Amino acid sequence: MISLCHIKHILVPLVTLCLMTNLAWAEEQNAPLGSNDWDFAVAKAIALDFANHGKWARAGIYLDEIAEKTQDWNVLLVWSRVKIQLGDMVTADKAIKLALKQAPENPRILFTAGDIATDLNHPDEALLFYEKALALQPDQTYAAMILGRLYAKQNEWEKLIPIYERIVQTTTPTPEVWIRLAVAHEQAGNIERAEICYREYANLSTNRAIGLSQLLVFYERIGQTDKASEVKKKLSSLGQGDQRNLRALMPSAR
């Protein structure tokens, strides 16, 4: 049985937050106690508190009731993120579109809209959201990675290159960044830069044999037989044969 003390420990902080929020709001709006506006502010405060504490289902109950009645883009953004956590991507998409109407230049909303469009398999829409958001906040590596993947799927290598080169310059790049950048440069005809990227990938790859194999087939594609022989020796020292099945793949397929 839950004790009264335990209930107070849970409810008092929440009630205090609600009261503080509503008093401040009521002073600004002159909302009478018990009015519809007051009730809305109470529900908003409770919903945001539940969301802040990861209680998604409870937050969703309140947000479903009030979110479409507000012009507060933050409430709509929270509603969208709550629905993402609950797996309701259709409502999440509806919520983020309403938020975009209120704040179309807000990067937080644009990044979330891109995530939702990606999840719903709307790549063209996702591209637009990520491009706009990254123009406003170019240091968001996570979004830049996703945008690069979308460009790779569409074979838009010239667009991918500056985004991933920025990641290389501003962060510690993962093997995924190096291999995508290598493929992009090779496809764009930047062979010297592609070689550097393939070598970085080979050095950082968690599977040394796969990393070297990618480098090997690259050298064979461009006719660098001496360098290919050196890589074969390294593969042999690992006890690995030449993985010829990789050669059949076009660079964009990896």
Side-chain angles (χ1 to χ4, degrees), residues 128-193:
L128 294 175
F129 289 135
Y130 286 131
E131 287 174 341
K132 190 172 182 179
L134 284 168
L136 296 167
Q137 282 191 0
D139 293 330
Q140 290 289 336
T141 303
Y142 169 75
M145 290 279 291
I146 298 176
L147 182 57
R149 291 170 192 158
L150 293 171
Y151 284 146
K153 288 181 179 179
Q154 297 185 358
N155 295 329
E156 296 195 51
W157 308 111
E158 295 291 352
K159 289 184 177 180
L160 182 151
I161 288 170
I163 291 175
Y164 272 34
E165 286 289 4
R166 181 178 178 84
I167 293 175
V168 167
Q169 294 169 8
T170 58
T171 68
T172 301
T174 63
E176 178 191 345
V177 171
W178 284 117
I179 189 60
R180 289 188 185 278
L181 193 54
V183 171
H185 277 299
E186 185 181 356
Q187 292 292 317
N190 308 323
I191 300 303
E192 290 184 4
R193 182 58 179 161

Side-chain angles (χ1 to χ4, degrees), residues 34-58:
S35 66
N36 289 336
D37 287 340
W38 185 276
D39 290 343
F40 176 88
V42 172
K44 173 182 171 180
I46 293 173
L48 294 179
D49 187 69
F50 277 141
N52 286 336
H53 288 83
K55 299 185 181 300
W56 312 117
R58 293 183 180 182

Side-chain angles (χ1 to χ4, degrees), residues 172-232:
T172 301
T174 63
E176 178 191 345
V177 171
W178 284 117
I179 189 60
R180 289 188 185 278
L181 193 54
V183 171
H185 277 299
E186 185 181 356
Q187 292 292 317
N190 308 323
I191 300 303
E192 290 184 4
R193 182 58 179 161
E195 179 182 2
I196 293 171
C197 295
Y198 276 117
R199 282 189 169 277
E200 291 289 348
Y201 172 71
N203 290 333
L204 292 175
S205 180
T206 53
N207 188 316
R208 180 71 170 158
I210 290 178
L212 288 170
S213 295
Q214 296 279 20
L215 183 60
L216 170 61
V217 295
F218 165 71
Y219 281 139
E220 291 182 336
R221 278 196 302 270
I222 64 173
Q224 291 280 354
T225 55
D226 291 343
K227 291 182 178 180
S229 296
E230 291 177 8
V231 177
K232 284 181 181 179

